Amino acid sequence: MSDRRTFSSKIVTIERYILEQQSDYPEATGALTNLLYDLALSAKMIASHTTRAGLAGILGDTGEENVYGEEVQKLDEFAERTIYRMNDHTGRLAAMASEEEADIIPIPPNYPTGKYVLMYDPLDGSSNIDYNVSVGTIFAIHRRRTLQGPGALEDCLQKGSNLVAAGYIIYGSSTMMVYSTGRGVHGFTLDPRIGEFLLSHPNIRIPDKPKYYSVNQGYQPKWSPAIQKYTAWLQGDNDQKMALSLRYIGSLVADFHRNLLAGGVFYYPAETKGGSKPQGKLRLLYEAAPLAFLAEQAGGYASDGTQRILDIEPTGLQQRVPLFIGSRPLVEKAEEFMKTEEA
Ligand code: FDP
């Protein structure tokens, strides 16, 4: 018989972990705890589809476009519907907002409303689905601002520093849920044999020594001189002769996740020189702010090049921002280069 003491770490399910965290707040009603648990359950349902995507014959475009003019894929729809249906009737939310929808998603009038709003990107990186590349779900939770009745746009248009919780699920070689309620970042890996998320990465901190820079270098001709110089700096044109390796998947959750664990910087800058993305590509509310919250909780930082992402007051649900995110010194270096451009 094997020695039971060989395995020193405790087996902790996400349910137990979330509940234990709640017990530190005697005034908590359990709404946030249950909301996070419902998201974990949605993640399992989505994961069961992403892993069977080819087999189930649900790959390919639906032929429709989302509000940004991008093609919507069937898995996007499944993820969207799953998260909505899991949360529309629970009485925990005042409203939802999804990257796939132009307006806020109201709670049906026959269900009670609650004190939180949920913003989500149901399947980020979906242009990669057909190629069996990792995709992800991103979520962000705010406390509502309005006092009662149906949730309103202003409940969703809050800056990232007000976030109560944020996280993502990565559907990769394994499925992981990584989240923070403002007390560190914790990662759970789905054990598909028992259908449970188990704590695998407690209290994630971005390593001090960065390994990677991540950017779509194909757009280099459209970058400003500051971004060009910053990239050269990351490649070794610096006093320390520190040269980072390039890794770019083109699936934000996967790129962010790798750099969170390995150390590095991801950036999606604004395009100049007649480029079609003067504000970059990524959405403030569905992508930049929740990941910025996690980055800061893990000791990192996120900026649009001139200011902290978490301080940006949103003006619209679909707002895009340039994004620099990851190891703090590398993001601050980007800000330094951007300043030379302003001067
Ligand atoms: P996708 O279009 O595949 O959904 O914001 C969406 C996103 O992917 C991110 O996940 C990813 O980081 C980025 O776009 C990739 O954009 P590029 O193809 O322009 O590099």
Side-chain angles (χ1 to χ4, degrees):
M1 217 170 95
S2 67
D3 185 349
R4 287 189 188 90
R5 289 163 301 186
T6 316
F7 303 101
S8 55
S9 54
K10 288 186 275 181
I11 297 175
V12 181
T13 63
I14 198 166
E15 184 179 17
R16 198 171 106 206
Y17 195 82
I18 295 171
L19 271 171
E20 276 175 10
Q21 287 214 323
Q22 186 198 319
S23 63
D24 293 345
Y25 296 93
E27 71 287 359
T29 60
L32 181 63
T33 299
N34 285 309
L35 178 50
L36 287 168
Y37 192 64
D38 287 343
L39 286 165
L41 197 51
S42 314
K44 287 187 215 172
M45 293 170 76
I46 298 167
S48 76
H49 268 63
T50 56
T51 48
R52 288 186 297 115
L55 293 171
I58 57 170
L59 281 181
D61 306 331
T62 59
E64 290 169 28
E65 291 192 338
N66 70 10
V67 289
Y68 311 103
E70 298 161 337
E71 284 173 341
V72 180
Q73 309 227 294
K74 282 185 180 172
L75 265 174
D76 289 27
E77 286 182 359
F78 177 80
E80 163 69 34
R81 273 202 314 269
T82 301
I83 296 174
Y84 172 73
R85 288 181 53 216
M86 196 67 96
N87 290 287
D88 65 342
H89 59 281
T90 59
R92 301 191 244 283
L93 296 177
M96 290 181 251
S98 160
E99 192 236 322
E100 298 290 342
E101 301 278 340
D103 300 314
I104 65 165
I105 309 168
I107 298 299
N110 49 324
Y111 294 129
T113 49
K115 60 181 172 183
Y116 295 108
V117 287
L118 172 66
M119 329 266 300
Y120 59 94
D121 183 350
L123 213 59
D124 188 73
S126 54
S127 64
N128 290 305
I129 292 170
D130 283 347
Y131 316 112
N132 209 351
V133 172
S134 302
V135 289
T137 296
I138 307 175
F139 61 89
I141 300 168
H142 279 290
R143 206 164 274 118
R144 71 183 297 178
R145 277 174 162 168
T146 50
L147 298 177
Q148 57 195 14
L153 185 60
E154 64 171 295
D155 296 317
C156 296
L157 294 186
Q158 298 195 49
K159 58 183 177 181
S161 55
N162 290 350
L163 280 166
V164 173
Y168 61 83
I169 297 104
I170 177 167
Y171 312 99
S173 47
S174 53
T175 300
M176 275 189 76
M177 176 158 163
V178 177
Y179 81 92
S180 176
T181 53
R183 296 200 310 163
V185 180
H186 312 289
F188 300 80
T189 303
L190 181 65
D191 183 339
R193 294 168 309 176
I194 58 169
E196 287 283 0
F197 278 107
L198 303 179
L199 181 62
S200 53
H201 295 68
N203 208 11
I204 299 171
R205 306 290 298 170
I206 299 179
D208 288 341
K209 196 169 173 329
K211 265 182 148 168
Y212 302 120
Y213 77 100
S214 309
V215 68
N216 189 336
Q217 206 127 10
Y219 301 139
Q220 186 151 9
K222 297 173 187 163
W223 295 343
S224 69
I227 300 295
Q228 310 265 4
K229 284 186 212 143
Y230 175 56
T231 306
W233 185 89
L234 293 168
Q235 291 166 333
D237 186 9
N238 54 58
D239 295 341
Q240 307 93 302
K241 296 282 168 256
M242 173 196 68
L244 300 178
S245 279
L246 168 66
R247 290 281 190 285
Y248 187 75
I249 297 169
S251 190
L252 178 61
V253 172
D255 279 310
F256 177 80
H257 181 72
R258 183 201 51 244
N259 291 0
L260 180 74
L261 298 182
V265 62
F266 171 96
Y267 51 112
Y268 204 117
E271 290 181 359
T272 51
K273 305 183 182 173
S276 58
K277 299 177 202 136
Q279 292 304 317
K281 179 180 185 188
L282 304 173
R283 291 83 175 171
L284 174 61
L285 291 173
Y286 303 110
E287 296 171 312
L291 296 186
F293 183 76
L294 293 171
E296 289 204 8
Q297 284 294 316
Y301 179 49
S303 167
D304 71 352
T306 58
Q307 61 174 322
R308 181 179 176 231
I309 291 287
L310 294 181
D311 286 341
I312 300 176
E313 287 281 1
T315 52
L317 287 175
Q318 286 90 22
Q319 187 176 347
R320 296 175 196 267
V321 278
L323 177 65
F324 301 80
I325 189 164
S327 302
R328 179 171 276 276
L330 299 185
V331 177
E332 284 176 348
K333 197 72 198 175
E335 288 182 330
E336 242 177 86
F337 275 100
M338 295 303 286
K339 273 203 192 100
T340 61
E341 202 151 73
E342 284 164 26

